[in-house]
Amino acid sequence: MKHLTPKQAWSWLQAETERRAAEGQDPPLFVDVRMEIESLYVGRPPGVENIPWYEYPDLTPDAARFAEAVVAEAGDRQRPVLLICRSGKRTLDAGAALEAVGFTEVLHVVHGFEGDLNDAFKRSSLNGWRYDGLPWEQM
């Protein structure tokens, strides 16, 4: 699994989308592994697909279910997959699950969408997608 900062991930996504389009291939699959409610209400990058690593009320990861859902969305295990979550922790386990089922190019966004907690226990103040000023949308 490759580890990219938010700015590196955004640059890679743009370049890889353009390169793959020129070759007649689908763009990389950009997956938000947070719960749907997090993705909708906290915000998310544009064009991301929400495939939760776990969901309310169980809050228990199901690696097989997650991998099956990503396979169905990707259509091909050779398609690059970029993962994002809140802080970059869930994506590590989710990425390992994808590699275990044969995905060949899995990348994740270090620090995730909201980033690490600061001394006042607030996110989006030290690092992360939003902190870096990258495009995002909110319901």
Side-chain angles (χ1 to χ4, degrees):
M1 183 177 343
K2 294 179 186 172
H3 310 280
L4 302 176
T5 66
K7 287 181 180 179
Q8 289 170 331
W10 180 245
S11 293
W12 175 86
L13 187 61
Q14 300 308 299
E16 191 66 9
T17 296
E18 186 175 310
R19 184 191 70 76
R20 291 177 65 86
E23 295 176 4
Q25 298 176 324
D26 288 330
L29 180 60
F30 191 12
V31 177
D32 183 345
V33 307
R34 296 175 296 162
M35 292 182 292
E36 183 179 31
I37 197 80
E38 288 177 276
S39 183
L40 291 174
Y41 287 102
V42 175
R44 60 186 177 193
V48 74
E49 295 292 329
N50 181 239
I51 304 175
W53 176 239
Y54 55 74
E55 193 59 87
Y56 186 82
D58 298 331
L59 304 177
T60 303
D62 182 340
R65 181 212 48 83
F66 173 78
E68 286 174 18
V70 175
V71 167
E73 187 66 36
D76 179 3
R77 288 176 173 90
Q78 304 304 310
R79 187 174 177 189
V81 179
L82 175 63
L83 303 172
I84 192 167
C85 66
R86 180 184 62 196
S87 63
K89 308 283 188 291
R90 276 177 269 186
T91 53
L92 294 174
D93 291 335
L98 296 181
E99 289 176 331
V101 298
F103 276 89
T104 59
E105 189 172 3
V106 179
L107 307 93
H108 93 108
V109 180
V110 176
H111 307 302
F113 185 74
E114 294 183 74
D116 295 321
L117 292 168
N118 67 14
D119 291 340
F121 301 102
K122 301 213 184 283
R123 296 190 187 275
S124 299
S125 62
L126 297 175
N127 50 36
W129 190 275
R130 257 190 342 199
Y131 177 81
D132 282 346
L134 298 169
W136 63 285
E137 58 195 20
Q138 190 173 26
M139 184 177 152

